[in-house]
């Protein structure tokens, strides 16, 4: 497995603290970061879905870029900037019938600017956080998705790529809404069925996409990061490249400042099956000053590490539950793809 660069804070840990200790550490560190307690009533819910918006930092990284397999702390400015000589795709909206949910469901999709049925493209499924929907990423320009994908393709590092942003709330009740309780978050855990059985077949039938795990990527933020890890562990044969950014608690049983989580898996189950075909790259990352999920992503790393699940872990220095974390995660995902596939272009 690839290791990170010195710019990123990378920690390898052996063993896991007991659950009550982890909960206390996560709560205390989260509250230390932000004196204002975040609740669904008091905070802009978009910060849960696609991250806290920050001002552009045009001097965060040197403009030089060298393609290697090292993790970079922040997305370089040259890849999040809007370039006058690059044509970027635009998000559009589509629908599909979900047998899982028994209803029509929507997604936003970013096609390359020169999309053609005569060419086939790899596809990234990008999952939003709690309280979000299929419009969350497409309407939030601060995450620079169009720019990162477009610029890296323009520079010849990656193939032009389709980005699909689904509605991850896979409920069969159109009146059900997300919230901080066990019943209200269950549809997020059901998304794996909608994704695999309904959305992915629709995308592969409706658009000119390359199929197979080498051409199928998965990433998610916050609740989307949590489900990204869960989906990857359950169906690792489907995705060649994966990144879970600022993943929310709840994969394993725990209690955070918002709610008690029953857990999708026990800690001992949070691993790949012994005979699994695992992703080429599986990244787990989080900001060092995350005021929403605190240390839970690091705890996931520790559990995966203890259980022998191969992955890359890094922390984004100074980042909150924000667009800097998202930009970093997406850039590093595509950088790893570029490095692995450099001989193919």
């Amino acid at each position: 497995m690839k290791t990170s660069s010195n710019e990123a804070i990378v920690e390898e840990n052996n063993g896991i603290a007991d659950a009550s200790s982890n909960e206390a550490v996560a709560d205390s560190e989260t509250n230390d970061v932000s004196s204002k307690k975040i609740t669904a009533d008091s905070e802009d819910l978009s910060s849960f879905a696609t991250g806290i918006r920050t001002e552009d930092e045009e001097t965060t990284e040197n403009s030089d870029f060298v393609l290697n397999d090292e993790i970079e702390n922040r997305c370089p400015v040259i890849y999040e900037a809007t370039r006058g000589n690059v044509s970027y795709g635009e998000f559009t909206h589509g629908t599909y019938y979900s047998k899982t949910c028994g209803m029509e469901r929507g997604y936003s999709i970013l096609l390359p600017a020169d999309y053609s049925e005569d060419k086939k493209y790899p596809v990234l499924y990008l999952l939003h956080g709690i309280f979000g929907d299929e419009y969350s990423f497409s309407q939030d320009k601060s995450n620079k998705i169009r720019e990162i994908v477009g610029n890296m393709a323009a520079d010849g590092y990656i193939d032009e790529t389709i980005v699909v942003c689904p509605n991850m709330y896979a409920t069969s009740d159109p009146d059900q809404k997300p919230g901080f309780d066990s019943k209200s978050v269950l549809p997020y855990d059901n998304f794996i069925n909608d994704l695999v059985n309904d959305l992915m077949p629709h995308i592969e039938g409706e658009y000119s996409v390359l199929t197979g795990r080498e051409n199928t990527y998965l990433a998610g933020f916050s609740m989307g990061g949590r489900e990204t890890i869960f989906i990857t562990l359950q169906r690792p044969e489907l995705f060649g490249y994966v990144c879970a950014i600022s993943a929310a608690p709840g994969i394993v049983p725990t209690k955070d400042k918002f709610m008690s989580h029953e857990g999708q898996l026990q800690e001992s189950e949070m691993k790949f099956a012994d005979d699994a075909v695992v992703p080429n790259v599986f990244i787990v990352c989080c900001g060092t000053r995350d005021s929403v999920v605190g240390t839970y992503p690091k705890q996931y790393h520790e559990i995966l590490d203890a259980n022998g699940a191969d992955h890359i872990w890094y922390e984004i220095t100074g980042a909150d539950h924000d667009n800097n974390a998202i930009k970093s995660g997406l850039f590093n995902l595509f950088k790893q793809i570029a490095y692995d596939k450099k001989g193919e272009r």
Side-chain angles (χ1 to χ4, degrees), residues 251-253 262-271 303 307:
I251 298 177
V252 297
E262 297 176 4
Q264 300 157 289
L265 302 168
Q266 296 301 310
E267 289 190 4
S268 62
E269 298 172 323
M270 194 173 165
K271 61 182 180 180
I303 297 170
N307 289 341

Side-chain angles (χ1 to χ4, degrees), residues 282-337:
F282 179 18
I283 300 172
V284 180
C285 62
C286 187
T288 58
R289 295 183 58 81
D290 195 300
S291 59
V292 176
V293 300
T295 62
Y296 279 102
K298 183 176 181 180
Q299 292 172 38
Y300 288 149
H301 151 63
E302 292 171 350
I303 297 170
L304 291 168
D305 193 49
N307 289 341
D310 205 12
H311 67 290
I312 297 171
W313 160 250
Y314 78 99
E315 292 180 279
I316 304 108
T317 306
D320 198 342
H321 202 70
D322 61 20
N323 52 11
N324 287 317
I326 294 171
K327 290 184 291 187
S328 174
L330 291 178
F331 170 76
N332 279 301
L333 176 65
F334 281 110
K335 183 184 178 186
Q336 296 294 322
I337 293 168

Side-chain angles (χ1 to χ4, degrees), residues 179-256:
F180 290 127
D181 62 84
S182 295
K183 183 178 179 180
S184 297
V185 300
L186 278 177
Y188 292 118
D189 298 342
N190 189 41
F191 179 69
I192 183 174
N193 300 307
D194 181 64
L195 173 67
V196 173
N197 298 323
D198 302 307
L199 179 59
M200 290 176 66
H202 169 81
I203 295 298
E204 292 171 2
E206 189 73 13
Y207 300 94
S208 185
V209 303
L210 290 166
T211 57
R213 61 191 304 276
E214 296 294 327
N215 306 299
T216 309
Y217 320 142
L218 181 65
F221 171 74
S222 198
M223 180 64 80
R226 161 180 143 172
E227 298 305 325
T228 291
I229 294 173
F230 178 69
I231 292 167
T232 300
L233 294 176
Q234 298 301 300
R235 299 301 304 269
E237 77 281 3
L238 296 178
F239 306 99
Y241 298 86
V242 175
C243 183
I245 307 165
S246 310
I251 298 177
V252 297
T254 192
K255 180 180 179 181
D256 64 7

Side-chain angles (χ1 to χ4, degrees), residues 46-247:
S46 66
S47 66
F48 291 87
T50 57
I52 300 165
R53 294 178 180 83
T54 63
E55 296 296 325
D56 289 342
E57 300 177 14
E58 297 189 1
T59 60
T60 53
E61 295 289 343
N62 192 297
S63 61
D64 294 335
F65 174 74
V66 177
L67 180 60
N68 54 40
D69 65 347
E70 298 295 318
I71 292 293
E72 300 198 28
N73 197 30
R74 297 291 182 104
C75 176
V77 171
I78 57 171
Y79 286 109
E80 64 177 75
T82 301
R83 303 180 188 174
N85 62 343
V86 174
S87 296
Y88 301 101
E90 296 291 340
F91 278 101
T92 58
H93 188 266
T95 62
Y96 65 104
Y97 183 77
S98 169
K99 294 179 181 178
T100 299
C101 300
M103 67 178 79
E104 285 287 320
R105 285 170 49 76
Y107 60 90
S108 290
I109 186 166
L110 176 66
L111 298 175
D114 60 351
Y115 173 80
S116 169
E117 292 290 339
D118 296 328
K119 180 180 178 180
K120 291 188 178 295
Y121 305 85
V123 58
L124 166 67
Y125 294 91
L126 180 60
L127 312 185
H128 61 76
I130 194 170
F131 303 116
D133 59 23
E134 71 265 31
Y135 296 104
S136 296
F137 278 118
S138 65
Q139 294 181 351
D140 185 353
K141 297 184 183 301
S142 70
N143 292 312
K144 306 295 184 180
I145 298 165
R146 294 168 61 252
E147 289 80 3
I148 292 171
V149 175
N151 291 336
M152 293 193 75
D155 286 353
Y157 287 120
I158 64 172
D159 293 326
E160 292 179 302
T161 301
I162 294 172
V163 180
V164 178
C165 301
N167 182 344
M168 205 179 64
Y169 200 62
T171 178
S172 58
D173 178 1
D175 295 324
Q176 186 178 12
K177 305 297 181 185
F180 290 127
D181 62 84
S182 295
K183 183 178 179 180
S184 297
V185 300
L186 278 177
Y188 292 118
D189 298 342
N190 189 41
F191 179 69
I192 183 174
N193 300 307
D194 181 64
L195 173 67
V196 173
N197 298 323
D198 302 307
L199 179 59
M200 290 176 66
H202 169 81
I203 295 298
E204 292 171 2
E206 189 73 13
Y207 300 94
S208 185
V209 303
L210 290 166
T211 57
R213 61 191 304 276
E214 296 294 327
N215 306 299
T216 309
Y217 320 142
L218 181 65
F221 171 74
S222 198
M223 180 64 80
R226 161 180 143 172
E227 298 305 325
T228 291
I229 294 173
F230 178 69
I231 292 167
T232 300
L233 294 176
Q234 298 301 300
R235 299 301 304 269
E237 77 281 3
L238 296 178
F239 306 99
Y241 298 86
V242 175
C243 183
I245 307 165
S246 310

